């Protein structure tokens, strides 16, 4: 399965030999690295605050565990950054084929956390196959769209078919938030791959129709959305009106809004967030899905804005790498990583301030979670690899 982009005449290996370590070092985007480092260490501090008063030893150990995952992730980040991204893209189909059985396995023997069977546990180590599959799909999508760039209809239709497999398997966990992340990744890569803009009209109309159905049918007429579980429907209904179940499914969003609102401009101070410390914001999700609520309460508008600005700069640097990439496959990879990170950022922050329904996905480099942190670092390692090779002809 050799791509024309990897022919002997244009072999990246030959050019890579002439492109030494110091060339890569000086072309490295150190600003992106510093942004990621700052977000990650701030995340560890907030995780500490969110778990400080917990009675669970596992939660209290979360900051140290996150630090260890960060150190491991940074090693992998640099390895990926200094590796030619073409090599990883070329063999991405193997990675995708390996992650699909893991998604099946998690449905059979996976560990249930917060209502979703999404974890595989190997002794003290747990992994989320869905996170691995996101990265595998980004790499495979880049490989496939580049390989068949002269036959766009085949490449576009095939990729749309392929994405259905992980989407359905993850939806069955059920993890609607993680499954939904594949859609923006697909759209971003199809757009960069050259799909004509008019073909985006039909899916966008369908998405708009679903949103209207949810707003009018669910909110005003009490309809159900076919295929969703009862607890997912409750989340959507309480999104429109948290007071429908203030002590049940509406509790978390109400406490999140109180926490963020009470933080005001500069926050109550580190370890001084009462909603967090007194457990009004549930301890099992305060350091993961609702960590932005902790930031809003303790660090206020200033801290929340700083996180959003930091995440935004990171996204812009990913898009810059996509724009200046030396080839289509580099643009596809960087664009796919940017789409994945943007979706997580938008949905995670949005659900804490009642912009989107609660779906349960983490905030990049801030939320607790080893698998997701490492996947994000690998994704940015790929972006670095693309950036430092942008002028390599």
């Amino acid at each position: 399965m050799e791509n024309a982009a990897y022919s002997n005449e244009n072999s990246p290996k030959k050019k890579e030999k002439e492109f030494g370590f110091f060339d890569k070092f000086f072309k490295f985007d150190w600003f992106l690295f510093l942004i990621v480092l700052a977000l990650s260490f701030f995340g560890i501090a907030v995780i500490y605050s969110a778990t400080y008063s917990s009675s669970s030893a596992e939660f209290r150990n979360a900051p140290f565990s996150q630090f260890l995952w960060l150190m491991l992730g940074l090693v992998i980040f640099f390895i990926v950054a200094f590796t030619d991204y073409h090599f990883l893209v070329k063999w991405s189909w193997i990675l995708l084929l390996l992650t699909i059985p893991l998604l099946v396995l998690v449905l059979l023997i996976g560990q249930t956390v917060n209502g979703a069977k999404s974890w595989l546990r190997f002794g003290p180590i747990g992994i989320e196959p869905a996170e691995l599959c996101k990265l595998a799909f980004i790499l495979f999508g880049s490989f496939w769209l580049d390989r068949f760039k002269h036959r766009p209809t085949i490449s576009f239709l095939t990729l749309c078919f392929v994405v259905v497999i992980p989407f359905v398997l993850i939806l069955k966990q059920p993890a609607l938030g993680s499954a939904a992340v594949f859609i923006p990744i697909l759209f971003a890569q199809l757009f960069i791959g050259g799909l004509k803009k008019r073909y985006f009209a039909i899916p966008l109309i369908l998405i708009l129709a679903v949103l209207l159905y949810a707003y009018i049918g669910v909110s005003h007429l009490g309809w159900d959305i076919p295929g969703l579980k009862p607890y997912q429907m409750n989340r959507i209904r309480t999104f429109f009106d948290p007071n429908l179940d203030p002590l049940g499914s509406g509790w978390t969003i109400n406490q999140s809004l109180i926490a963020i609102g009470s933080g005001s401009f500069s926050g109550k101070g580190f370890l001084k967030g009462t909603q967090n410390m007194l457990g009004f914001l549930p301890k099992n999700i305060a350091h993961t899905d609702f960590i932005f609520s902790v930031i809003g309460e303790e660090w206020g508008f200033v801290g929340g804005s700083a996180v959003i600005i930091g995440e935004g700069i990171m996204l812009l640097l990913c898009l810059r790498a996509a724009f200046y990439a030396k080839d289509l496959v580099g643009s596809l990879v960087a664009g796919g990583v940017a789409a994945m990170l943007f979706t997580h950022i938008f949905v995670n922050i949005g659900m804490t301030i009642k912009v989107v329904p609660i779906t349960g996905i983490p905030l990049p480099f801030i939320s607790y979670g080893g698998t997701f942190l490492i996947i994000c670092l690998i994704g940015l390692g790929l972006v670095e690899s693309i950036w430092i090779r942008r002028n390599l002809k």
Side-chain angles (χ1 to χ4, degrees):
M1 298 178 69
E2 288 293 328
N3 191 329
Y6 309 127
S7 63
N8 285 336
E9 186 179 350
N10 281 327
S11 172
K13 284 187 178 179
K14 290 183 179 179
K15 298 163 186 173
E16 196 76 13
K17 289 179 181 177
E18 302 168 5
F19 193 52
F21 172 80
F22 288 105
D23 294 311
K24 299 173 187 176
F25 182 85
F26 287 113
K27 288 180 179 290
F28 200 85
D29 189 352
W30 291 104
F31 185 51
L32 175 59
F33 172 72
L34 291 175
I35 288 289
V36 169
L37 211 59
L39 287 171
S40 299
F41 277 106
F42 180 68
I44 292 173
V46 181
I47 291 169
Y48 176 80
S49 178
T51 57
Y52 175 75
S53 60
S54 174
S55 59
S56 168
E58 181 182 356
F59 286 169
R60 291 197 305 273
N61 290 333
F64 181 67
S65 298
Q66 187 78 348
F67 175 77
L68 295 180
W69 284 115
L70 176 61
M71 294 300 103
L72 175 61
L74 287 175
V75 172
I76 300 174
F77 166 82
F78 280 106
I79 292 172
V80 172
F82 289 114
T83 300
D84 187 355
Y85 62 93
H86 292 94
F87 173 79
L88 298 172
V89 170
K90 180 179 178 181
W91 299 106
S92 59
W93 61 276
I94 296 179
L95 180 60
L96 185 63
L97 287 177
L98 289 174
T99 57
I100 297 301
L102 289 177
L103 291 176
V104 175
L105 190 62
V106 80
L107 292 175
L108 300 175
I109 62 170
Q111 181 182 12
T112 300
V113 178
N114 295 330
K117 187 184 286 188
S118 53
W119 289 81
L120 285 177
R121 181 69 61 178
F122 302 97
I125 299 175
I127 63 168
E128 281 187 282
E131 303 301 340
L132 297 173
C133 196
K134 291 173 192 175
L135 184 63
F137 181 74
I138 290 171
L139 291 170
F140 176 79
S142 305
F143 167 79
W144 195 258
L145 291 173
D146 182 66
R147 177 179 173 82
F148 292 101
K149 58 188 172 187
H150 300 301
R151 288 183 281 177
T153 303
I154 294 176
S155 63
F156 296 151
L157 292 177
T158 303
L159 198 59
C160 288
F161 172 76
V162 170
V163 78
V164 171
I165 301 171
F167 182 86
V168 170
L169 290 173
I170 295 170
L171 203 59
K172 283 184 171 293
Q173 294 181 2
L176 178 61
S178 289
V181 175
F182 284 83
I183 305 304
I185 293 173
L186 175 66
F187 279 15
Q189 291 199 315
L190 291 180
F191 180 80
I192 295 170
L195 181 64
K196 294 180 179 178
K197 294 179 179 62
R198 65 174 179 267
Y199 292 121
F200 288 98
I202 294 176
L204 289 176
I205 290 172
L206 289 174
I207 291 172
L208 180 61
V210 170
L211 292 176
L212 288 174
Y213 177 92
Y215 179 72
I216 298 173
V218 176
S219 176
H220 292 83
L221 301 177
W223 296 347
D224 288 341
I225 298 177
L228 293 188
K229 303 286 185 181
Y231 81 92
Q232 292 172 328
M233 284 305 310
N234 286 337
R235 284 181 176 180
I236 294 175
R237 287 196 174 93
T238 52
F239 165 71
F240 291 113
D241 185 5
N243 292 322
L244 288 174
D245 188 12
L247 299 179
S249 54
W251 174 267
T252 303
I253 185 59
N254 278 333
Q255 299 309 314
S256 175
L257 292 172
I258 292 170
I260 293 173
S262 65
S264 191
F265 183 74
S266 57
K268 297 176 180 177
F270 185 56
L271 301 179
K272 295 180 181 178
T274 52
Q275 295 296 116
N276 168 40
M277 289 295 171
L278 298 178
F280 291 102
L281 198 63
K283 285 295 180 182
N284 62 321
I285 56 174
H287 64 310
T288 54
D289 301 338
F290 278 82
I291 198 163
F292 191 77
S293 306
V294 180
I295 295 171
E297 184 177 27
E298 297 192 350
W299 300 84
F301 175 80
V302 174
S305 297
V307 168
I308 293 173
I309 291 171
E311 301 272 17
I313 292 173
M314 177 187 68
L315 291 175
L316 289 175
L317 294 175
C318 290
L319 292 176
R320 182 185 66 167
F323 184 81
Y324 286 105
K326 68 172 186 173
D327 51 21
L328 175 62
V329 72
S331 296
L332 288 165
V333 172
V337 171
M340 178 186 74
L341 294 173
F342 170 78
T343 307
H344 273 268
I345 295 165
F346 177 79
V347 174
N348 180 276
I349 295 177
M351 69 184 185
T352 66
I353 57 176
K354 202 174 171 288
V355 171
V356 298
I358 297 173
T359 54
I361 61 176
L363 182 60
F365 304 104
I366 303 292
S367 293
Y368 173 74
T371 305
F372 181 63
L373 177 61
I374 288 180
I375 291 301
C376 288
L377 287 168
I378 292 174
L380 290 186
L382 288 165
V383 171
E384 287 281 12
S385 178
I386 293 162
W387 177 252
I388 63 180
R389 289 167 178 79
R390 64 193 182 280
N391 296 324
L392 185 60
K393 302 297 184 183

